[in-house]
């Protein structure tokens, strides 16, 4: 079964750090671009960051650039998101998602992990 | 940055009716990179359509995507009770953008 399972969410104070992980299974992880998408409570979907197949290219939304770092370990089938200097507006469910080859669409989504930034 | 505007914000229809959801881009979008998603409460989104008109695996043929350039449409031919949800369009490019969503509710 193709599956993405996120972990690492939780409550953190403003200015703090958190590292999200996503374990992939059931497919050839190293063949796919991967992404993080977030959704604040009661709000819409917002793209956060993307990484190419081998990890040599990364791109970020302006709102997280310089604070978040996406990475992957293809040997371990793991995607990560290091989040530093967290702000209240980063509070959201964070989804790990798989890219459809050649179309930039997101065909497999994890269940999401909640990040709450609050004092 | 390309902005996607979805309309209407809320669509109230009855089961069996036809739904037409719009996604308008502020600049031309390659059809290869336009997708639609369905999200039900407390669930992750599901990919419905990619490449503007290709149905994702397992998606019923009552869902149809169309359009090009700046205007794209998701049509649900005959609404089933499970189709009432929020729908998002999304484009890919050097970055990725979602529309704000259309809530399809039971009339």
């Amino acid at each position: 079964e193709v599956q993405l399972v996120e972990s690492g969410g939780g409550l953190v104070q403003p200015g703090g750090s958190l590292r999200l992980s996503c374990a992939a299974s059931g497919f050839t992880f190293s063949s796919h671009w991967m992404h993080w998408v977030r959704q604040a409570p009661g709000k819409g979907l917002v793209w956060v960051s993307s990484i190419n197949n081998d990890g040599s290219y990364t791109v970020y939304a302006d709102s997280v650039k310089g604070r978040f770092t996406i990475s992957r370990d293809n040997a371990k089938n793991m995607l990560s998101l290091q989040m530093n200097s967290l702000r209240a507006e980063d509070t959201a469910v964070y989804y790990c998602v798989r890219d459809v080859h050649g179309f930039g669409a997101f065909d497999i989504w994890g269940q999401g992990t909640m990040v709450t930034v609050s004092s | 940055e390309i902005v996607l505007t979805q309309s209407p914000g809320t669509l109230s229809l009855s089961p069996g009716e036809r739904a037409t959801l719009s996604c308008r881009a502020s600049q031309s979008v390659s059809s290869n990179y336009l997708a639609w998603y369905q999200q039900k409460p407390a669930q992750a989104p599901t990919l419905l359509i990619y490449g503007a008109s290709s149905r994702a695996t397992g998606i019923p043929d009552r869902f149809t995507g169309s359009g090009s350039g700046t205007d794209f449409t998701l049509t649900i031919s005959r609404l089933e009770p499970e189709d009432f949800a929020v729908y998002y369009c999304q484009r890919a490019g050097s970055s990725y953008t979602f529309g704000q969503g259309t809530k399809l509710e039971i009339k």
Side-chain angles (χ1 to χ4, degrees), chain A residues 63-83:
Chain A
S63 59
V64 307
K65 201 173 297 182
R67 300 187 299 123
F68 289 12
T69 302
I70 190 172
S71 61
R72 65 191 298 161
D73 184 336
N74 285 345
K76 296 181 178 179
N77 293 342
M78 292 288 292
L79 177 72
S80 297
L81 185 68
Q82 177 66 42
M83 304 186 295

Side-chain angles (χ1 to χ4, degrees), chain B residues 27-100:
Chain B
Q27 301 173 44
S28 184
V29 173
S30 168
S31 294
N32 279 349
Y33 301 124
L34 195 287
W36 289 91
Y37 301 83
Q38 176 193 69
Q39 188 178 31
K40 297 179 181 179
Q43 294 185 19
T46 298
L47 177 65
L48 298 173
I49 301 289
Y50 64 93
S53 60
S54 297
R55 272 185 294 274
T57 303
I59 301 304
D61 60 7
R62 65 179 181 273
F63 291 91
T64 301
S66 63
S68 63
T70 60
D71 289 296
F72 297 88
T73 300
L74 174 69
T75 302
I76 311 171
S77 58
R78 296 171 307 281
L79 286 166
E80 298 287 342
E82 62 268 27
D83 298 337
F84 292 90
V86 179
Y87 292 83
Y88 296 93
C89 60
Q90 173 249 329
R91 49 82 50 178
S94 56
S95 64
Y96 302 78
T97 308
F98 288 92
Q100 83 280 15

